[in-house]
Amino acid sequence: MTTRTGAPHMAVLRTVTLVGAVLLSGLGAGLFYSYACSVMPGLARVDDRVFVETMQRINTAILNGWFMLSFLGALVLIAAAGLLQWRGGGNRTALLWIVAAAVLYLAMLVITGAVNVPLNDRLAAAGDPRTLADPAAVRAAFEDTWVRWNLVRAVTSTAAFGCLIGALTRAA
């Protein structure tokens, strides 16, 4: 038996994919939010060498499979959810919410690749914080710009998460 939205198994696949996109995008939004409201304000209170060393260590530690699964996996699931809504006879209003989420999530990825990652790379290239001649200059070249653009990432990824919730409520 088929319904207006396609075969029952297609409806389940659409829902599971969309729920996965919601969950993974929510993890990313929460990460950027956490940096914005706790990690970076906390680091703002430490001296320059501690700041540089801590951010270097965080930037190394975050490059792991679990982070990459949520960070890139969210985009894969958003795209898959959109494709399944479009090709699988799903709700067109839900599709519009998914498209909005994809645009917002892509904006976050572009910001990350164009601003935050290059700043992280320059911070790493500064070398061992214990031997820096001017850790204050290294910090100054990094902190304000990184914090400002992380806030933009928090907003765009949270908006993408919200759009996916909107899609999920309309797809049901």
Side-chain angles (χ1 to χ4, degrees), residues 155-172:
V155 169
T156 56
S157 61
T158 301
F161 175 64
C163 287
L164 289 170
I165 291 171
L168 189 58
T169 63
R170 282 148 185 88

Side-chain angles (χ1 to χ4, degrees), residues 77-92:
L77 289 179
I78 292 168
L83 184 63
L84 289 168
Q85 280 301 116
W86 179 57
R87 303 272 298 172
N91 181 298
R92 294 300 183 219

Side-chain angles (χ1 to χ4, degrees), residues 99-118:
V99 169
V103 169
L104 289 161
Y105 201 86
L106 280 170
M108 179 276 297
L109 288 174
V110 168
I111 291 163
T112 299
V115 179
N116 294 88
V117 169

Side-chain angles (χ1 to χ4, degrees), residues 1-15 84-85 87-92 171-172:
M1 175 176 144
T2 60
T3 64
R4 172 185 79 74
T5 58
H9 70 278
M10 182 59 76
V12 169
L13 182 59
R14 279 195 311 271
T15 301
L84 289 168
Q85 280 301 116
R87 303 272 298 172
N91 181 298
R92 294 300 183 219

Side-chain angles (χ1 to χ4, degrees), residues 66-139:
W66 291 110
F67 169 71
M68 296 311 273
L69 175 68
S70 63
F71 188 66
L72 298 176
L75 181 62
V76 170
L77 289 179
I78 292 168
L83 184 63
L84 289 168
Q85 280 301 116
W86 179 57
R87 303 272 298 172
N91 181 298
R92 294 300 183 219
T93 303
L95 178 60
L96 293 175
W97 283 98
I98 294 168
V99 169
V103 169
L104 289 161
Y105 201 86
L106 280 170
M108 179 276 297
L109 288 174
V110 168
I111 291 163
T112 299
V115 179
N116 294 88
V117 169
L119 286 169
N120 292 347
D121 292 344
R122 281 191 293 246
L123 191 67
D128 187 338
R130 294 171 295 188
T131 62
L132 291 175
D134 190 359
V138 172
R139 180 181 188 164

